[in-house]
Amino acid sequence: MKNKMAEIIIKQMTPEDVEKVYQVEEACFSVPWSLENFQNIFRFGENYYLTAWDGEEIVGFIGLMAVMGEGDITNVAVRPQYRRRGIAAQLVAMMLEQLAAKGAASVLLEVRESNLPA
């Protein structure tokens, strides 16, 4: 019998997700955003965040700040043990679909040269 990976579900981030998203951030980055940064996301109407779920666990997320028809992807993160399964690609694709539906003209993602997987 094959061990099948559970289906990853992509959802809009809610204020209730902040703690779990912050845990993913801490697991992925040597200099993570603060918990307060994530709590402030919902104070501004032009921030969009999606989360990737495996059951009850958030395993990845993507964030975007939109300004005057342009999007700036602020962060994309997937827990190390879930990488190389296409989760980040799913998050980016869904975010781009949402932005296109809102009429965004362009999207920017800055990546360090050393970040080869990105």
Side-chain angles (χ1 to χ4, degrees):
M1 187 160 103
K2 291 185 180 180
N3 183 6
K4 184 178 174 187
M5 185 180 91
E7 182 181 358
I8 299 298
I9 305 295
I10 308 294
K11 301 179 186 178
Q12 295 289 333
M13 184 174 145
T14 67
E16 292 76 27
D17 299 335
V18 167
E19 295 275 343
K20 289 181 178 183
V21 167
Y22 177 66
Q23 291 170 2
V24 174
E25 176 82 1
E26 283 189 309
C28 293
F29 299 108
S30 59
V31 183
W33 281 18
S34 70
L35 178 59
E36 183 179 16
N37 285 359
F38 284 102
Q39 291 167 334
N40 287 332
I41 288 168
F42 295 97
R43 293 187 180 163
F44 306 101
E46 296 300 315
N47 287 318
Y48 304 99
Y49 276 74
L50 299 174
T51 52
W53 293 77
D54 181 9
E56 297 297 314
E57 181 181 14
I58 293 178
V59 299
F61 70 94
I62 185 170
L64 179 131
M65 181 175 58
V67 179
M68 296 176 12
E70 295 183 1
D72 183 6
I73 295 177
T74 56
N75 38 17
V76 179
V78 175
R79 286 188 177 277
Q81 64 270 34
Y82 283 85
R83 291 182 185 160
R84 305 188 68 78
R85 298 183 190 183
I87 296 169
Q90 284 181 272
L91 288 164
V92 170
M94 186 170 250
M95 181 64 77
L96 292 177
E97 284 178 24
Q98 289 187 0
L99 289 174
K102 294 179 189 306
S106 65
V107 177
L108 173 68
L109 170 62
E110 287 186 50
V111 179
R112 288 188 186 103
E113 279 187 48
S114 62
N115 189 346
L116 296 177

